Amino acid sequence: MKVTRAVSPLLPLCQRLLPGRIAGLSLALLKATALEIAILAGHLLLYPTGITPERRPAPNPPGTPTDLADTGTRTGTGTGTGTGTGTGKERGDTTRLPTPTRPPVVLLHGFIDNRSVFVMLRRSLAQHGRQQIESLNYSPLTCDIRTAAELLGRHIEEICERTGHHEVDIVGHSLGGLIARYYVQCLGGDVRVRTLVTLGTPHSGTRVVPLMNAHPIVRQMRPGSGVLDELCQPAPHCRTRFVSFWSDLDQLMDPLETACIEHPDLLVQNVRVSGIGHLALPVHPAVAAGIRQALDAEETEARPAANANAAAHADGLTVA
């Protein structure tokens, strides 16, 4: 998938002053940095709106069919095979035909952030048919990925009970992706998570900003930490499908490839994004389109072989 835009008028000047490859890289870095600054400014304005937890819809009373107001479609509870009491009784039916529905999407933000980072992605998912989207906040004082993953698990159990779905999809940005992966791999969350999409997540640890080591959760995101060592352990029966978006201009990933998932037991697709930085990953419309494609992908893949991850690097998303 490629997304292209008009060529910057500064490109001819850069090409004259610098060698071709350096000029291209410098221009891309300049554009990505400008976009990051603009996104940061917008996010600072939206940040107060995401401090409080999201309001949860009230569960349906027992025996009441779930109404999807946007589509007018009625579905049963559970996996769509429950019995109904509304129009079914009026017509003398004892059961309702199951209506295929997509699982809820859970959005999980990154370090020192909140759910407001997903305003654009949430809108994009809703406009393309996702009826149940929930943004979770975890405390900015969180100091342990394991504890945050346990809390995520409780939230997901509550979401499944409230919505009647057996599984959810998760989109995690940065640290949020690491929390979700720990839940899936180490806490049995693969029975609840169908697809986990991560955006700029330091799966192998990042060495950026050494001064941040004073924070315990940052130390857990460093190469060789105990949490990352646990994620390297065998996971032969993990059922979750992983899709990892990583950017070649991500300022917070050192090395850049740390945002890829490398594990022989996991079903993984690593998607390289070119032309944007860390903050743009949950915001850019081209990435949102890639996320929708990943969530809607048919699950026809077989359980991966030991070298399946290598082939996944062929996928890419170019934002120019």
Side-chain angles (χ1 to χ4, degrees):
M1 180 189 304
K2 289 190 177 181
V3 177
T4 58
R5 293 183 178 177
V7 178
S8 170
L10 297 177
L11 182 56
L13 177 61
C14 291
Q15 289 176 334
R16 285 197 298 267
L17 296 179
L18 298 170
R21 173 173 289 184
I22 298 178
L25 177 60
S26 300
L27 179 61
L29 184 59
L30 180 63
K31 292 171 64 178
T33 302
L35 181 60
E36 290 285 285
I37 294 173
I39 291 173
L40 177 60
H43 186 41
L44 290 176
L45 292 176
L46 289 174
Y47 191 92
T49 68
I51 293 176
T52 57
E54 187 174 64
R55 296 180 63 182
R56 307 289 181 225
N60 294 321
T64 300
T66 301
D67 291 327
L68 301 182
D70 294 337
T71 61
T73 303
R74 289 192 169 187
T75 64
T77 58
T79 58
T81 58
T83 60
T85 60
T87 58
K89 277 191 175 182
E90 295 170 4
R91 298 175 184 176
D93 298 331
T94 58
T95 61
R96 292 193 308 273
L97 291 176
T99 302
T101 58
R102 296 167 175 174
V105 179
V106 178
L107 307 177
L108 198 61
H109 62 79
F111 182 56
I112 316 181
D113 210 338
N114 63 37
R115 61 187 177 85
S116 62
V117 73
F118 291 118
V119 168
M120 300 300 293
L121 177 59
R122 185 186 186 112
R123 180 181 304 172
S124 174
L125 292 172
Q127 288 175 343
H128 289 81
R130 289 284 174 165
Q131 301 293 334
Q132 296 170 320
I133 307 169
E134 306 215 7
S135 303
L136 300 183
N137 277 355
Y138 55 86
S139 171
L141 302 179
T142 298
C143 293
D144 183 57
I145 289 176
R146 302 177 184 90
T147 302
E150 292 174 0
L151 180 60
L152 172 63
R154 292 197 291 270
H155 279 303
I156 290 178
E157 290 297 325
E158 185 272 331
I159 291 171
C160 289
E161 181 178 0
R162 171 161 42 84
T163 64
H165 285 271
H166 177 67
E167 293 179 311
V168 302
D169 292 331
I170 298 180
V171 179
H173 180 226
S174 196
L175 172 62
L178 206 58
I179 292 172
R181 183 181 170 190
Y182 191 92
Y183 165 65
V184 167
Q185 268 189 251
C186 302
L187 300 180
D190 61 313
V191 301
R192 289 298 193 193
V193 181
R194 185 188 69 158
T195 302
L196 171 56
V197 176
T198 66
L199 311 172
T201 292
H203 292 286
S204 301
T206 178
R207 296 188 294 264
V208 76
V209 194
L211 294 179
M212 288 291 290
N213 283 347
H215 197 293
I217 210 165
V218 173
R219 293 197 297 270
Q220 291 183 334
M221 291 190 286
R222 298 304 193 195
S225 73
V227 167
L228 297 184
D229 285 345
E230 289 181 57
L231 293 177
C232 291
Q233 297 301 311
H237 304 297
C238 186
R239 287 164 280 192
T240 299
R241 176 173 170 263
F242 296 83
V243 182
S244 176
F245 288 81
W246 65 285
S247 172
D248 57 7
L249 293 178
D250 193 326
Q251 309 91 334
L252 298 185
M253 297 297 109
D254 180 20
L256 293 172
E257 292 78 6
T258 189
C260 298
I261 299 178
E262 302 290 350
H263 196 295
D265 295 330
L266 302 181
L267 180 59
V268 177
Q269 180 184 17
N270 290 309
V271 182
R272 174 175 174 167
V273 181
S274 298
I276 60 175
H278 189 79
L279 295 178
L281 285 169
V283 175
H284 201 284
V287 180
I291 293 171
R292 296 196 309 267
Q293 182 178 353
L295 295 180
D296 294 340
E298 295 292 336
E299 294 184 288
T300 57
E301 299 93 339
R303 186 54 47 183
N307 61 350
N309 287 328
H313 288 280
D315 294 310
L317 177 66
T318 300
V319 179

